[in-house]
Amino acid sequence: QKEVEQDPGPLSVPEGAIVSLNCTYSNSAFQYFMWYRQYSRKGPELLMYTYSSGNKEDGRFTAQVDKSSKYISLFIRDSQPSDSATYLCAMSNTGANSKLTFGKGITLSVRP
Amino acid sequence: GAGVSQTPSNKVTEKGKYVELRCDPISGHTALYWYRQSLGQGPEFLIYFQGTGAADDSGLPNDRFFAVRPEGSVSTLKIQRTERGDSAMYLCASSLQQNTGELFFGEGSRLTVL
């Protein structure tokens, strides 16, 4: 079993839909939780960062962390075609800018 | 440029050859990371530098892989006796030392071993 499991894809939704992306993990030492977005042929870019449990909102994006269940989520409201990309969850026990363990990613396609 | 620069963007080599991949981080970033991403997978950690020294090299798969950062800026990932299984995208990232939560990734070097 991998340390970080991410829901398999791909995922296709119509424009304007609410998207829910999820990851589970097994390492209870993880304290730092991130979502990265990766466009085709590009490097990942940080979308959301949360320390420990709780919610964080940034525009159309909301990140949730439930450490008791070892479960994290990313919600995208009013999805746009420009949101079409691969979404990677990432976690660390030593710091958000140190060694990260990534999920395998889920490819999202938002249809106009 | 302002971002992390990686060269070459594509490298095709034959099994058994030696390869060097270069990373030029964002100016002023003291931390530098190498990750490897296979098709359909998330990035896997290889090594992390703080300044000139390797702070964590636990992700290097075997002794064919080596990385240096002699002056605390540019880094080179070196792969000896390449194998077909080494084919992947090699991503470099840099960050400020403080815990800002953000790694800035380059566009990667795609390595293909024939």
Side-chain angles (χ1 to χ4, degrees):
Chain A
Q1 182 190 7
K2 288 198 168 187
E3 273 192 299
V4 179
E5 299 278 1
Q6 189 164 359
D7 285 351
L11 183 61
S12 179
V13 301
E15 184 174 354
I18 296 174
V19 176
S20 172
L21 307 174
N22 308 294
C23 287
T24 57
Y25 63 95
S26 57
N27 187 347
S28 57
F30 285 146
Q31 297 277 1
Y32 302 85
F33 303 92
M34 288 133 283
W35 286 94
Y36 278 80
R37 178 173 61 192
Q38 186 173 25
Y39 290 112
S40 182
R41 301 182 189 279
K42 299 288 187 182
E45 56 180 347
L46 182 69
L47 200 56
M48 298 286 283
Y49 158 59
T50 309
Y51 171 70
S52 195
S53 282
N55 294 356
K56 187 171 185 178
E57 188 172 322
D58 184 2
R60 296 184 294 110
F61 298 88
T62 300
Q64 289 185 352
V65 175
D66 182 348
K67 289 189 67 183
S68 62
S69 302
K70 298 193 182 67
Y71 188 88
I72 73 169
S73 300
L74 177 71
F75 297 95
I76 308 174
R77 290 183 298 282
D78 187 25
S79 55
Q80 302 294 310
S82 59
D83 295 329
S84 299
T86 296
Y87 290 81
L88 300 152
C89 60
M91 308 177 190
S92 171
N93 58 336
T94 53
N97 61 346
S98 60
K99 175 181 177 179
L100 302 184
T101 301
F102 282 86
K104 67 184 296 183
I106 183 169
T107 299
L108 170 68
S109 175
V110 181
R111 307 185 303 271
Chain B
V4 176
S5 176
Q6 290 189 247
T7 54
S9 54
N10 276 288
K11 176 71 177 178
V12 180
T13 192
E14 293 179 343
K15 181 173 177 291
K17 299 288 189 184
Y18 170 79
V19 165
E20 287 191 353
L21 306 175
R22 176 189 166 108
C23 174
D24 204 336
I26 293 172
S27 178
H29 281 192
T30 57
L32 184 146
Y33 314 77
W34 285 99
Y35 283 80
R36 177 169 70 174
Q37 186 174 25
S38 300
L39 201 60
Q41 301 295 317
E44 284 183 290
F45 172 80
L46 295 177
I47 186 170
Y48 154 49
F49 289 90
Q50 193 63 260
T52 60
D56 185 344
D57 65 357
S58 61
L60 293 177
N62 51 59
D63 61 6
R64 295 187 298 105
F65 288 74
F66 190 70
V68 295
R69 195 186 185 199
E71 297 177 357
S73 179
V74 171
S75 175
T76 305
L77 179 66
K78 308 180 181 199
I79 311 173
Q80 298 178 320
R81 304 183 305 280
T82 51
E83 299 177 357
R84 292 195 180 89
D86 298 336
S87 297
M89 177 72 82
Y90 288 82
L91 293 165
C92 177
S94 69
S95 74
L96 293 168
Q97 185 165 357
Q98 69 261 30
N99 193 10
T100 64
E102 184 160 15
L103 300 187
F104 292 85
F105 282 88
E107 295 194 349
S109 293
R110 177 162 296 285
L111 175 66
T112 303
V113 182
L114 301 176

